[in-house]
Amino acid sequence: MRVPDDAPATCPTCGADYDSVSVHDAGLLVNLLDNERYRRVCFEPVAGDDGKPVVQFYHHTHEQVGDAE
């Protein structure tokens, strides 16, 4: 996992504020059923520094997206 230095101010997928962003270039698993910290994670496919495809994860807390979303 790599955290980018040039992360945008808001999530490019949903436009909401986010708590953190990470970049993944290998297999991953997502399970937020019982996550006390994060309510939602948005996924944004991008080109990595070497031009190979990676996925950026934007981690949203419960407060940032609210219970209604």
Side-chain angles (χ1 to χ4, degrees):
M1 180 179 81
R2 180 182 64 81
V3 179
D5 294 330
D6 59 347
T10 58
C11 176
T13 303
C14 71
D17 289 336
Y18 59 89
D19 184 56
S20 62
V21 60
S22 58
V23 178
H24 303 266
D25 62 1
L28 50 97
L29 177 123
V30 177
N31 178 359
L32 298 179
L33 292 176
D34 298 312
N35 192 304
E36 292 180 14
R37 185 171 183 181
Y38 296 118
R39 171 74 172 158
R40 177 173 76 215
V41 176
C42 291
F43 308 95
E44 182 76 11
V46 297
D49 292 337
D50 59 2
K52 294 182 180 178
V54 297
V55 178
Q56 290 182 336
F57 280 37
Y58 292 85
H59 310 102
H60 301 281
T61 64
H62 291 264
E63 294 78 19
Q64 289 169 327
V65 296
D67 290 336
E69 291 191 22

